[in-house]
Amino acid sequence: MSRRLRRLASWGTCALLSTAMLPAAATAAAGTDARPAPSPVAAAAAADPAYDVLVFSKTAGFRHSSIDEGVTALRELGTANNFTVTATEDAAVFTPASLAGYEAVVFLSTTGDVLNASQQTAFEGYIQAGGGYVGIHAAADTEYDWTWYGGLAGALFRAHPQIQPATVTVEDRAHDATAHLGRTWQRTDEWYDYRTNPRTTAHVLASLDESTYSGGGMGGDHPIAWCKDYQGGRAFYTGGGHTEDSYADPAFRRHLLGGIRWAARLTEADCRPETGYTSLYGGTGTTGWKQAGPGSFAESDATLTSRGGLGLLWYQAKEYKAYSLKLDWRQAGDDNSGVFVGFPASDDPWSAVDNGYEIQIDATDTPDRTTGSVYGFKSADLAARDAALNPPGEWNTYEIRVEGERLQLFLNGQKINDFTNTDPARSLQQGHIGLQNHGTDDDVSFRNIRIKEIGGTTGPREGAIKGLGSKCVDVANGSSADGTQIQLWTCNQSAAQKWTVGTDDTLRALGKCLDISGAGTADGTKIQLYGCNNTGAQKWVAQADGTLKNPQSGKCLDASGNSSADGTKLHLWACHTGANQKWVLPG
């Protein structure tokens, strides 16, 4: 049984534990924000199954005096949270056979060139097979000449000012590494500047407020902790951990534990890059929102928690058309709630039920009425839902993406439902959004509600598709003849580079479709332009990791030879999430 299935089995069959049974690190106060005591509804799920973590702290440059304290802290976290720690500075452990025994590998303030070529290859294989990486502090001051590692870590060290206190802004309070923190976190540490900003390739969990300390050099957008899916594996990095005192801080320890749990696949999170969202609720009041019907939502710690009902807290300030709505939610136990979309303005909560669509939150019910379903209309893909779902007591993230009459639902970054409205009495193309407070015994909380409008239109998205080297997907010579090769080319805004992302999962240019020659499935099969025929060879589904997958073949759109040169042919290839399989769609 896989570690993820073991995790599901452990919480799916066991009752919730009380907060008294949580490890001390999990219940410690975070930072200096004035916050209420943790509620009993924040009880942890059943204990994690046992797993193994390798802590690697070899240094070939500056050596941090806090490494010993870091190893001790990680060992103590392991003892309290059911994972074993093997600590080493011997790079000989980086072999395929040895690494296969670990759910996560921690680079604890490593510096310089610490792995030889064969060891690097072994670590790449480990990550590509689904392994987990956790980088702490000077892990970003490591392996500057190994491009692959720079992508894994997310960004590499450039400089730092003196050790001093600073305010950390917590951007994501759903990830297990940051869910225990307030909106800000006061810490003293050595604050790194990085050579690049990881925000476009990683999901930022926390950033530094450069106005609160001296010497910050990243221009005001200064990520300090992040996560990302990388070539089949998972990567978490935190810039904290220079000082010995860091490893005695319960909040920092819990931060590390959350990163390890996520990297080891004991918990789920949406770690896709995120930019361009507008906050609808972030903890500074409910301006623009209105309660319809009985019950209410209590507001505490930048969190809305349902009380009584059946009612609806709806955003009356604006109707939305095409958009991506993201929000974080947590159930206390077997509780009921939902997110409503596409309903007209009304002070009657039943209007949303009768005229809109509910994205359900309910731990136990029939498939079309449980978590991830479009209530009463379409069940989630239950296998995908179960693999992505965190249990009651832990936070989850929904993305509800509405384009025209199509609604796609992502749970913790994984697509679990794809629904198209065909009811003439309802429409997703315009309406309000709302949160349900279901009843007296239902206790569901929401955080960080944000929205991004898509292109200002309800129709298909149109524009360039960009890939490796920021080159554009191009129809060779602008020819619309069947069989014309699809290639990479310098972006030039021509019709040969204008693609329409259809609601039927097609990609269209020059009146025809992006097609797999002969409906082939072999690596290297030509990608061509061909008359649209609604076959599986013309379906392309964007994945959370940035790839474009053809469901019929199970393979991905790929730039041959990992090249960005003009004229590079696109072909079909087994998905590996390398840079030559990452695509940015319009809109």
Side-chain angles (χ1 to χ4, degrees):
M1 184 182 289
S2 72
R3 56 181 173 262
R4 177 63 189 158
L5 289 177
R6 291 199 306 269
R7 168 70 170 152
L8 286 168
S10 71
W11 69 259
T13 58
C14 298
L16 294 177
L17 301 177
S18 71
T19 50
M21 298 176 69
L22 280 167
T27 56
T32 59
D33 282 356
R35 301 177 58 211
S39 164
V41 304
D48 292 335
Y51 60 106
D52 299 289
V53 174
L54 177 66
V55 176
F56 182 58
S57 55
K58 180 179 177 180
T59 56
F62 181 83
R63 184 169 182 83
H64 283 74
S65 60
S66 61
I67 287 176
D68 288 344
E69 285 79 3
V71 170
T72 297
L74 293 170
R75 288 191 189 280
E76 291 175 353
L77 282 173
T79 298
N81 295 280
N82 210 25
F83 63 88
T84 61
V85 168
T86 300
T88 186
E89 300 201 351
D90 183 1
V93 73
F94 281 78
T95 67
S98 178
L99 291 175
Y102 299 101
E103 276 71 26
V105 176
V106 179
F107 276 48
L108 174 60
S109 283
T110 50
T111 54
D113 188 358
V114 292
L115 299 179
N116 65 29
S118 65
Q119 293 159 356
Q120 290 176 356
T121 298
F123 192 46
E124 289 178 6
Y126 166 79
I127 293 295
Q128 289 161 0
Y133 162 86
V134 173
I136 302 175
H137 193 56
D141 189 20
T142 301
E143 296 286 357
Y144 289 95
D145 296 325
W146 183 13
T147 302
W148 182 90
Y149 180 83
L152 177 74
L156 296 175
F157 166 76
R158 184 181 68 196
H160 65 78
Q162 71 275 15
I163 297 170
Q164 58 190 299
T167 297
V168 177
T169 300
V170 182
E171 297 189 24
D172 183 324
R173 298 181 65 213
H175 193 289
D176 196 50
T178 44
H180 64 294
L181 300 170
R183 286 180 292 162
T184 59
W185 187 18
Q186 308 300 323
R187 293 203 69 244
T188 296
D189 216 318
E190 181 182 74
W191 303 114
Y192 277 6
D193 290 340
Y194 301 95
R195 297 184 179 194
T196 57
N197 191 316
R199 190 176 294 276
T200 59
T201 60
H203 179 72
V204 176
L205 302 173
S207 56
L208 288 172
D209 181 348
E210 289 190 344
S211 70
T212 64
Y213 73 105
S214 300
M218 293 192 68
D221 182 14
H222 195 145
I224 198 64
W226 54 82
C227 60
K228 66 191 301 187
D229 296 301
Y230 190 71
Q231 295 193 6
R234 292 182 171 186
F236 167 86
Y237 172 82
T238 180
H242 173 87
T243 66
E244 290 89 342
D245 289 345
S246 292
Y247 298 99
D249 176 5
F252 187 70
R253 283 191 173 206
R254 185 63 184 84
H255 178 57
L256 296 180
L257 174 62
I260 291 169
R261 293 186 72 236
W262 177 78
R265 301 181 186 270
L266 275 301
T267 188
E268 300 299 318
D270 188 347
C271 283
R272 298 174 294 171
E274 181 177 313
T275 58
Y277 283 78
T278 298
S279 177
L280 299 184
Y281 173 76
T284 56
T286 55
T287 301
W289 295 82
K290 187 176 183 181
Q291 180 69 31
S296 64
F297 280 83
E299 183 179 16
S300 179
D301 189 26
T303 303
L304 297 169
T305 301
S306 63
R307 294 286 182 265
L310 196 146
L312 186 75
L313 181 67
W314 61 288
Y315 192 69
Q316 65 169 344
K318 185 174 181 179
E319 289 186 86
Y320 290 96
K321 296 181 179 180
Y323 57 88
S324 167
L325 172 68
K326 288 190 176 184
L327 49 83
D328 306 329
W329 59 268
R330 182 187 65 193
Q331 295 169 281
D334 182 7
D335 298 293
N336 191 315
S337 184
V339 183
F340 280 85
V341 296
F343 59 91
S346 175
D347 288 328
D348 178 4
W350 288 99
S351 177
V353 175
D354 295 336
N355 298 288
Y357 285 106
E358 179 185 5
I359 310 307
Q360 180 71 339
I361 298 171
D362 187 339
T364 57
D365 208 328
T366 59
D368 67 333
R369 298 184 176 191
T370 190
T371 297
S373 66
V374 180
Y375 185 90
F377 289 90
K378 187 175 182 180
S379 168
D381 178 333
L382 295 181
R385 190 279 308 273
D386 289 348
L389 180 64
N390 290 323
E394 296 186 22
W395 287 91
N396 291 277
T397 299
Y398 268 165
E399 180 192 4
I400 302 168
R401 189 179 183 97
V402 173
E403 298 172 272
E405 294 294 352
R406 184 184 186 187
L407 184 156
Q408 298 176 79
L409 177 63
F410 298 80
L411 172 64
N412 294 324
Q414 303 303 312
K415 187 174 178 179
I416 65 167
N417 208 335
D418 195 334
F419 169 76
T420 299
N421 171 52
T422 59
D423 182 350
R426 302 172 190 252
S427 178
L428 286 165
Q429 295 201 42
Q430 187 159 345
H432 292 272
I433 64 171
L435 312 175
Q436 184 186 65
N437 53 302
H438 185 269
T440 302
D441 297 326
D442 293 304
D443 193 338
V444 179
S445 297
F446 296 91
R447 282 179 174 171
N448 193 17
I449 305 168
R450 63 267 194 207
I451 198 164
K452 178 166 67 174
E453 295 183 81
I454 301 171
T457 175
T458 60
R461 291 174 288 153
E462 294 183 342
I465 300 174
K466 294 186 178 181
L468 190 65
S470 295
K471 295 288 184 75
C472 281
V473 175
D474 178 277
V475 182
N477 300 315
S479 171
S480 61
D482 284 350
T484 301
Q485 175 72 54
I486 305 300
Q487 61 185 8
L488 281 183
W489 200 269
T490 300
C491 297
N492 55 30
Q493 298 183 327
S494 68
Q497 296 180 357
K498 184 177 181 181
W499 295 90
T500 299
V501 182
T503 57
D504 57 355
D505 291 332
T506 60
L507 298 172
R508 303 180 182 227
L510 302 175
K512 295 191 175 180
C513 282
L514 191 75
D515 178 276
I516 301 169
S517 179
T521 60
D523 285 352
T525 300
K526 175 185 177 181
I527 301 298
Q528 62 184 11
L529 195 70
Y530 204 86
C532 297
N533 54 29
N534 199 37
T535 65
Q538 297 183 348
K539 304 294 184 181
W540 301 95
V541 179
Q543 305 296 300
D545 57 15
T547 59
L548 277 170
K549 179 180 282 188
N550 171 249
Q552 178 171 278
S553 65
K555 294 188 175 182
C556 284
L557 185 67
D558 181 284
S560 64
N562 197 27
S563 171
S564 62
D566 283 351
T568 296
K569 296 178 179 179
L570 302 193
H571 58 196
L572 194 69
W573 203 266
C575 299
H576 54 68
T577 70
N580 62 320
Q581 292 189 348
K582 298 292 183 72
W583 308 96
V584 179
L585 297 175

